[in-house]
């Protein structure tokens, strides 16, 4: 059985995942102002992935007959200076989510909730991949600098996701 504390923390994570999804959706829309359809596609896929994460948490709570409590999503930024600033925001967000997942693991350990510890391991691994993916793109954008041809090629590459 999931404790009230664990249930509350997992519900908060649903909210965090949905906030992340909404953030990436805003980035998908805003990056079109720079003519970057590939980046828009990448952020849209990221939106879908974050929603799937929220659904995993919801399904997990449901499988334990725990209450699912959807909460209001905090306001997100909607405009960025350039694609690089978007990916900087994305990296900060992924690092924050990693911290939140780690905190969930700590709560589960303290509650001796071994089923939740096992469940959360997927997210621990996922966050390593998420951070690496965003960091790689940000590194590419830093290397590209003002090279419009290279930016065009990166945009085309991200469209393949």
């Amino acid at each position: 059985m999931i404790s009230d504390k664990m249930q509350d923390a997992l519900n908060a994570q649903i909210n965090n995942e949905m906030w992340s999804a909404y953030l990436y959706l805003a980035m998908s829309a805003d990056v079109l102002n720079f003519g970057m359809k590939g980046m828009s596609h990448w952020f849209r896929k990221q939106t879908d992935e974050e929603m799937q994460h929220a659904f995993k948490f919801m399904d997990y709570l449901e499988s334990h007959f725990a209450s699912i409590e959807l909460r209001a999503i905090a306001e997100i930024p909607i405009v960025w200076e350039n694609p690089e600033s978007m990916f900087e925001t994305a990296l900060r967000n992924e690092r924050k989510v990693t911290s939140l997942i780690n905190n969930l693991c700590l709560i589960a350990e303290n509650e001796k909730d071994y089923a939740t510890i096992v469940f959360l391991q997927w997210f621990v691994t996922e966050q390593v991949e998420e951070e690496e993916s965003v960091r790689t793109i940000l590194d590419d954008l830093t290397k590209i600098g003002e090279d419009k041809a290279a930016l065009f090629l990166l945009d085309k590459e991200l469209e393949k996701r």
Side-chain angles (χ1 to χ4, degrees):
M1 182 170 152
I2 294 178
S3 70
D4 289 344
K5 183 175 183 176
M6 191 79 252
Q7 177 181 290
D8 187 56
L10 292 171
N11 273 304
Q13 190 60 33
I14 292 168
N15 183 268
N16 291 321
E17 298 292 343
M18 294 179 106
W19 187 90
S20 293
Y22 201 48
L23 175 71
Y24 287 126
L25 187 59
M27 290 175 174
S28 176
D30 191 47
V31 78
L32 290 173
N33 293 325
F34 301 102
M36 302 286 146
K37 288 184 178 182
M39 286 184 192
S40 178
H41 172 78
W42 190 92
F43 283 123
R44 180 76 63 95
K45 289 292 188 183
Q46 198 67 18
T47 298
D48 294 343
E49 196 169 288
E50 299 302 330
M51 287 302 299
Q52 289 303 314
H53 295 170
F55 296 149
K56 282 180 186 273
F57 281 104
M58 291 174 70
D59 292 344
Y60 183 76
L61 284 168
E62 188 275 327
S63 72
H64 288 272
F65 302 99
S67 295
I68 298 168
E69 301 167 8
L70 299 182
R71 302 168 184 172
I73 298 172
E75 189 173 347
I76 57 159
I78 57 170
V79 176
W80 287 265
E81 183 180 332
N82 53 43
E84 189 172 353
S85 67
M86 289 179 184
F87 281 95
E88 287 168 351
T89 300
L91 183 59
R92 280 192 305 274
N93 181 61
E94 291 302 338
R95 287 178 173 162
K96 176 186 169 192
V97 171
T98 297
S99 174
L100 294 168
I101 296 294
N102 290 341
N103 189 56
L104 288 173
C105 291
L106 182 61
I107 294 168
E109 286 175 15
N110 289 339
E111 298 287 313
K112 294 185 169 65
D113 183 347
Y114 302 107
T116 302
I117 291 169
V118 171
F119 168 73
L120 290 170
Q121 291 310 301
W122 183 89
F123 290 95
V124 170
T125 302
E126 176 70 5
Q127 282 310 118
V128 171
E129 295 169 7
E130 295 284 355
E131 285 189 38
E132 179 185 23
S133 174
V134 175
R135 182 74 230 180
T136 299
I137 296 167
L138 186 55
D139 286 347
D140 288 347
L141 284 167
T142 301
K143 290 173 196 166
I144 286 170
E146 299 296 319
D147 186 339
K148 291 184 191 243
L151 185 60
F152 174 80
L153 291 174
L154 177 60
D155 188 59
K156 289 298 176 194
E157 183 66 29
L158 293 177
E159 195 169 28
K160 296 175 185 175
R161 178 180 182 194

